[in-house]
Amino acid sequence: MMIARYGFQTVPERIFRQLLRRGPSVGESSSINRVSSQQHRTYRAAVCAELKKPLVLQDLQATELKPAEVRVSVHCCGVNFADILACQGLYQERPPLPFTPGMEFSGCVAETGSNVTTLQKGDRVMGVSGGSAMAEECIVDQKVLWKIPKEVGYEEAAALPVSYGTGLLALQHRAATQPGEIVLVTAAAGGAGLAAVDIAAHVLQAKVIAAAGSDEKCALAVLKGAYASINYNTSNLKEELKKLTNKKGVNVVFDAVGGDIFKDALSSLSWEGRIVVVGFAGGSIPSVPANLLLLKNISAMGVFWGRYREQDFPVFSQSISSAIQLCQEGKIRPHIGAVFKLQQVNEAFQHVMQRASVGKVVLSMK
């Protein structure tokens, strides 16, 4: 695995102490002295200064807000595989170095821009960013923040946007899953997988078969709502699905693995079945046999949840609003598998990369 070569380990932060910090040089305009009260204030952040190297903790300089922006004091940040890929230069979107990862967070409003009307200082919020949330504070546009109901804690709130947003878009928006349909979820004990199990079983009223890589992970998925499970490291996925469905196949597949697991799942679809691709945790990107799509009238589709933010913001926003409401009503409940402190960010990454994690891994800033 890549971790063997690029293990995320703690390194002395002084190596990068001067990164991203710059004081005024002699002769610069005196207007710098008038810029803002934020000029000399710093906050801690996890910084990717070099790809495929450990993150370092850095004191970054606070900046001024634009009119529509909000400064959030971050309480928790969700850890996603996409964050790790970004720090390796392998994600679809590649931010310029140096950068702070972290795409979902919860916290408290610390300051609002002059045009912000929907929030005020002290509000409990959760939100998404293009990065920058693995820090004590982050600045985002007001439109990508949502208030946290009193029934939802900071850890749960930080675990909702990516996993549950992806699950809702994949199963409800794209696959149009119907009550009583059989849904197969691969990597069912991961953050996105458990969210998909939760949504399919408790929101969409489907019958869920969970597939995971260990008996312990399978058991957790069943506890979360699946009626059956398959350990695809010790059993043949295709054969087990035939037994569980009486050879009829499954209606919907939520696949986050790819490779041979995807191929077995695709061939296990029933007439007019749908498979939704949400990732390739197995590391192999499979090809789709178009003849199979034709013969069984099945559909293969993808969900890149983050892209909806630019392409169809109302749908993107609704996925988060729905997740919040469902959590408030007690219909779904994120599973927090592990919580790490900000200074343990590399250990958190390693925990995910070694597939030791179940449910959501969260960084806590407080």
Side-chain angles (χ1 to χ4, degrees):
M1 289 182 64
M2 190 168 290
I3 189 172
R5 186 177 177 186
Y6 303 112
F8 287 88
Q9 305 169 20
T10 302
V11 296
E13 62 181 84
R14 65 176 181 275
I15 294 176
F16 299 102
R17 174 64 68 173
Q18 299 305 315
L19 283 174
L20 302 178
R21 300 187 68 183
R22 177 179 175 271
S25 59
V26 176
E28 276 191 299
S29 170
S30 60
S31 64
I32 284 183
N33 296 323
R34 303 194 303 268
V35 171
S36 77
S37 60
Q38 303 295 338
Q39 183 182 13
H40 301 297
R41 188 178 63 77
T42 61
Y43 63 94
R44 298 288 266 177
V47 175
C48 177
E50 186 176 353
L51 296 178
K52 302 179 182 179
K53 296 293 183 180
L55 302 184
V56 292
L57 291 185
Q58 180 72 35
D59 291 327
L60 302 185
Q61 192 137 351
T63 58
E64 277 289 280
L65 295 180
K66 294 178 181 177
E69 290 182 332
V70 178
R71 190 187 314 277
V72 178
S73 174
V74 178
H75 283 237
C76 295
C77 176
V79 178
N80 293 282
F81 197 65
D83 296 314
I84 298 171
L85 291 177
C87 292
Q88 295 174 340
L90 300 175
Y91 193 54
Q92 296 97 319
E93 299 172 351
R94 300 186 179 185
L97 293 170
F99 68 90
T100 295
M103 56 182 63
E104 61 181 343
F105 61 91
S106 62
C108 184
V109 173
E111 183 185 1
T112 59
S114 58
N115 291 346
V116 173
T117 58
T118 58
L119 297 165
Q120 60 184 4
K121 184 175 181 179
D123 283 345
R124 297 171 72 243
V125 293
M126 55 182 277
V128 295
S129 68
S132 77
M134 291 185 181
E136 292 176 336
E137 68 176 52
C138 69
I139 295 175
V140 295
D141 191 281
Q142 63 176 332
K143 74 176 184 178
V144 290
L145 288 172
W146 292 260
K147 290 184 180 181
I148 304 174
K150 63 180 184 300
E151 296 88 351
V152 181
Y154 282 117
E155 289 181 5
E156 289 181 326
L160 284 174
V162 176
S163 295
Y164 279 85
T166 298
L168 286 166
L169 285 185
L171 295 172
Q172 191 173 48
H173 179 70
R174 295 287 277 150
T177 305
Q178 300 301 306
E181 287 193 313
I182 299 176
V183 175
L184 170 67
V185 178
T186 67
L194 274 183
V197 171
D198 199 9
I199 291 166
H202 301 127
V203 178
L204 303 178
Q205 305 302 310
K207 298 177 65 177
V208 181
I209 299 174
S214 73
D215 291 342
E216 293 77 13
K217 290 181 177 181
C218 285
L220 176 61
V222 170
L223 187 65
K224 197 67 177 177
Y227 84 94
S229 65
I230 302 170
N231 180 344
Y232 42 56
N233 282 332
T234 58
S235 303
N236 183 290
L237 179 62
K238 191 187 301 186
E239 292 304 316
E240 291 301 314
L241 287 173
K242 286 181 181 179
K243 295 176 185 177
L244 289 170
T245 64
N246 196 25
K247 298 184 179 180
K248 293 180 180 179
V250 300
N251 303 108
V252 176
V253 176
F254 179 97
D255 180 51
V257 178
D260 291 337
I261 297 298
F262 169 87
K263 294 176 182 178
D264 285 349
L266 181 71
S267 64
S268 299
L269 282 174
S270 63
W271 176 259
E272 291 194 337
R274 295 87 73 199
I275 187 168
V276 188
V277 178
V278 298
F280 309 102
S284 175
I285 300 177
S287 58
V288 178
N291 63 315
L292 192 58
L293 303 183
L294 173 66
L295 292 174
K296 298 176 71 175
N297 272 30
I298 57 179
S299 302
M301 60 193 78
V303 165
F304 181 5
W305 175 77
R307 186 62 60 83
Y308 276 89
R309 179 176 172 179
E310 289 76 34
Q311 298 294 328
D312 195 338
F313 186 79
V315 170
F316 177 82
S317 179
Q318 184 58 45
S319 73
I320 299 178
S321 297
S322 294
I324 294 172
Q325 182 177 347
L326 290 167
C327 191
Q328 182 182 16
E329 294 172 352
K331 293 181 179 178
I332 59 172
R333 187 62 60 191
H335 181 86
I336 309 300
V339 180
F340 293 84
K341 292 295 185 181
L342 178 61
Q343 59 267 30
Q344 298 174 304
V345 60
N346 292 309
E347 287 87 339
F349 275 26
Q350 194 170 40
H351 187 69
V352 173
M353 292 181 72
Q354 290 179 332
R355 299 187 182 181
S357 60
V358 293
K360 198 71 175 187
V361 175
V362 172
L363 288 181
S364 174
M365 315 300 165
K366 303 299 181 182

